[in-house]
Amino acid sequence: MSAFLILLLSLLILHVITDFYLQPIEWVKDKNTRHERSLKLLYHAIMQASFACVPILFFTASWRSVICTWFVVGVSHWLIDLWKTYAKKQLRYFVVDQALHVFILIVVALHAAQLQWSFAGLGAVVFTKNNLIIALSYILIFKPTSILIGSILTKYTPEENESTKGLISGGEVIGYLERTLILTFTITGQFTVIGFVLAAKSIFRFGDLNNTKNHKLTEYVLLGSLLSVTITSVIGLAVRNSI
């Protein structure tokens, strides 16, 4: 298992270096413009495949495995990046793109480390009580919590106009990030850091609230923040006491 983790981490490091640091912006523009006709897309896939073979050489003497790795990583990277050139420039497509790359690297690492995993064995490792409780807590703090907070704040919701549009629309994203940090730090017992997170948010939001003359908007934001922190803290403490 340790060999698999070391190999996977090595592959991920090389993937990040190649995908984000060694890929010039001109290559990205060429890929998005020429798609499957782009030579830069081909060069990038070849580079990814070649870098991925380096750590494989330290774990196996089989050139067949090395060659298979080169083709699997190279072809899959070319296909995934080609798909991305046709996709919209949105966060979800970036996440899917990277998730697919990581999945391929996990498969390669499992093969090279010669781990014999069965679905039952994999399930015993992944689907543990603690992992399921933590996964449920993160799922709860996003959409369900937003809906709950919105229901509570119905009578305080201000009318959306040009002066409040940014505060209202940005509040959901800020709330997601805030709750993620608070839940993570609560589960890990880093309660002091939560104070810094709340202080930082308060400082940045104070200017917007101080400049608006809409007292209803101020109440809406403050109540939403307090509800968000309270709900997330309760969930985090429940998880911490359960695992």
Side-chain angles (χ1 to χ4, degrees), residues 214-232:
N214 191 337
H215 296 292
K216 191 173 183 179
L217 175 62
T218 303
E219 292 179 350
Y220 175 82
V221 173
L222 291 177
L223 284 173
S225 295
L226 290 174
L227 284 170
S228 178
V229 172
T230 301
I231 294 171
T232 308

Side-chain angles (χ1 to χ4, degrees), residues 7 44 68 98 122 189:
L7 180 55
H44 178 64
C68 286
Q98 292 302 315
L122 182 61

Side-chain angles (χ1 to χ4, degrees), residues 12-23:
L12 290 174
I13 290 172
L14 291 173
H15 166 73
V16 172
I17 292 174
T18 310
D19 218 26
F20 296 97
Y21 292 94
L22 298 182
Q23 182 176 203

Side-chain angles (χ1 to χ4, degrees), residues 39-96:
L39 289 177
K40 301 299 188 295
L41 174 59
L42 179 61
Y43 297 158
H44 178 64
I46 292 174
M47 184 184 295
Q48 281 282 4
S50 301
F51 272 67
C53 289
V54 174
I56 301 296
L57 292 171
F58 290 91
F59 286 84
T60 178
S62 172
W63 281 100
R64 182 178 179 182
S65 294
V66 175
I67 294 173
C68 286
T69 297
W70 193 90
F71 276 102
V72 168
V73 174
V75 173
S76 65
H77 204 96
W78 188 86
L79 291 173
I80 294 169
D81 276 19
L82 176 61
W83 163 79
K84 190 183 176 186
T85 63
Y86 286 102
K88 296 179 180 179
K89 304 301 182 290
Q90 295 179 358
L91 176 61
R92 57 183 172 181
Y93 294 108
F94 172 78
V95 172
V96 172

Side-chain angles (χ1 to χ4, degrees), residues 113-130:
Q114 298 181 345
L115 290 182
Q116 299 298 324
W117 284 77
S118 64
F119 285 107
L122 182 61
V125 173
V126 176
F127 298 106
T128 63
K129 185 196 77 169
N130 289 351

Side-chain angles (χ1 to χ4, degrees), residues 2 11 30 32-33 72 113 120 123 146 192 197 209 238:
S2 60
L11 289 170
D30 188 76
N32 292 330
T33 302
V72 168
S146 292
T192 305
V197 173
L209 294 175

Side-chain angles (χ1 to χ4, degrees), residues 172-222:
E172 186 175 13
V173 177
I174 294 173
Y176 282 177
L177 295 174
E178 174 190 83
R179 292 197 288 274
T180 300
L181 291 174
I182 291 175
L183 180 61
T184 302
F185 291 133
T186 301
I187 293 174
T188 56
Q190 303 297 322
F191 300 107
T192 305
V193 185
I194 297 175
F196 287 105
V197 173
L198 297 178
K201 179 190 175 184
S202 300
I203 291 172
F204 285 112
R205 296 287 275 184
F206 178 77
D208 291 331
L209 294 175
N210 191 44
N211 292 331
T212 183
K213 296 180 180 179
N214 191 337
H215 296 292
K216 191 173 183 179
L217 175 62
T218 303
E219 292 179 350
Y220 175 82
V221 173
L222 291 177

